[in-house]
Amino acid sequence: MKYKDYYETLGVQRSATEAEIKSAYRKLARKYHPDVNKTKEAEEKFKDINEAYEVLSDKNKRQRYDSLGANWQGGADYTPPPGFENFGFNFNQGNGGFDFGGGAGGFSDFFASLFGDMMSGQSQNVHTNFGGFDFGQGGFANAGRTASSSRTTEKKEDLDITKTLNLTAQELFDKKPVSVTFSQMDRCGHCNGNGFCSHCGGTGIVSTPKTVKVKLPKDLTEGKKIRLKGEGKTDSRGRKGDLYLVIHLKDNEYSIDGTNLTKDIEITPPEAVLGTNKEIKTLHGNINIKIPAGVSSGQSLRLKNLGLPTENGFGDLNARIKIVVPKNYSNEIIELYKKIQNLSN
């Protein structure tokens, strides 16, 4: 699932006070309330705003959310701790109001994974008047409405973890095992997720670094998955899930297309006009190539069998020409270019 940045949703800093959060929420709620804004985008935005306010306006929920750390980015992959993703909850305001239960109309899976234990179990009053406004059919009137939460049937606990594995062309070429390190969110073993101990800071969640060695199979492509059995989460009964690594090819030097590679080769304008010999670095070692006279920027020279391994050999390397003008040309060289320009006209 994707991490949700509640502070960004409300447009406030992580250090925002309760008053600042409430003020930001009221401003956005007036703008995106479905009684005022009839667009589909506004309806989704309104749900996101309510969810963010539900968390940041509650001291305990905000403390647990902040325990994830400030280095998460909106949209990043997030794996909930074991058991936290399976709690159900339902907030039905009735009287034409909004149903914040499960499914499309409810809070997100990310919210449920962190706060399901707080919202489930025995009946309890949950404040859903969202900053003093009644968002039922009555419009914007002061209200103190509350709603009761009800527990839904728990699903079987999902112990699998999915992470992104960034690989370079060099790593694909070497085929050596790579180390993957990630933080795994778990229930606190000292308080069993109840949040009443110093080990978890009262959040019920602890972050544990984990490193695994991954042997890379052949023919890895963008989006392909590698399954590591038993490297997922562990539940209270000792059952283990699997770790799935989704391949993302990310290289600053090469563009990767299957087993073929493309690399930019920088040359100067005189070299493009007159041609030149160039030593370039490849995965197979340094080689010398001849760049023909009159080459244009964007043209590619195909270098056979200098790409990534295939079943029966290697792919190709495309040396893509990039003409670069140096910034430190002397006045004498600039004058020569002026003469060339006049001769060309």
Side-chain angles (χ1 to χ4, degrees), residues 88-92 99-102 119 147-152:
F89 49 91
N90 183 63
F91 305 109
N92 196 318
D99 179 11
F100 293 99
M119 316 307 289
S148 295
S149 66
S150 62
R151 189 175 186 176
T152 61

Side-chain angles (χ1 to χ4, degrees), residues 263-280 288-301 319-327 329 337:
K263 177 177 180 175
D264 285 336
I265 307 300
E266 295 185 354
I267 62 173
T268 64
E271 290 173 331
V273 174
L274 303 175
T276 186
N277 291 317
K278 205 83 171 178
E279 183 181 36
I280 67 170
N288 286 301
I289 63 171
K290 182 178 181 179
I291 298 176
V295 72
S296 299
S297 196
Q299 280 186 265
S300 292
L301 306 177
R320 185 170 54 200
I321 302 301
K322 183 177 182 181
I323 300 175
V324 178
V325 179
K327 296 182 180 180
Y329 272 161
Y337 269 108

Side-chain angles (χ1 to χ4, degrees), residues 77-261:
D77 288 335
Y78 164 77
T79 301
F84 276 90
E85 68 275 12
N86 296 313
F87 290 97
F89 49 91
N90 183 63
F91 305 109
N92 196 318
Q93 288 180 277
N95 299 325
F98 290 93
D99 179 11
F100 293 99
F107 289 149
S108 68
D109 290 340
F110 173 77
F111 179 97
S113 72
L114 277 182
F115 308 111
D117 59 326
M118 291 183 174
M119 316 307 289
S120 303
Q122 59 184 359
S123 296
Q124 53 183 307
N125 286 332
V126 182
H127 294 289
T128 55
N129 63 332
F130 302 120
F133 293 117
D134 176 6
F135 290 130
Q137 291 181 335
F140 292 94
N142 288 329
R145 182 181 298 176
T146 62
S148 295
S149 66
S150 62
R151 189 175 186 176
T152 61
T153 303
E154 289 188 7
K155 301 177 183 179
K156 183 179 179 180
E157 187 173 345
D158 184 5
L159 300 176
D160 293 337
I161 298 175
T162 300
K163 297 290 182 182
T164 299
L165 176 58
N166 296 321
L167 291 176
T168 65
Q170 187 69 58
E171 288 170 327
L172 292 174
F173 181 80
D174 292 340
K175 290 188 176 180
K176 296 178 181 178
V178 296
S179 295
V180 179
T181 301
F182 57 94
S183 293
Q184 183 172 318
M185 306 299 294
D186 291 305
R187 285 174 178 263
C188 177
H190 294 271
C191 66
N192 197 29
N194 293 320
F196 298 112
C197 73
S198 60
H199 295 276
C200 62
T203 65
I205 302 173
V206 292
S207 178
T208 307
K210 184 174 183 179
T211 300
V212 294
K213 283 280 189 180
V214 182
K215 184 179 180 180
L216 301 179
K218 295 180 180 179
D219 300 328
L220 283 179
T221 55
E222 180 74 23
K224 195 169 185 177
K225 286 186 178 181
I226 299 176
R227 177 191 177 196
L228 299 180
K229 191 174 181 179
E231 295 293 348
K233 293 176 286 186
T234 304
D235 65 10
S236 57
R237 299 180 183 179
R239 294 174 297 187
K240 294 179 179 293
D242 299 331
L243 172 62
Y244 290 89
L245 299 174
V246 182
I247 301 302
H248 177 49
L249 304 180
K250 185 177 182 180
D251 197 294
N252 295 326
E253 187 174 358
Y254 298 97
S255 296
I256 305 173
D257 181 15
T259 57
N260 295 325
L261 303 174

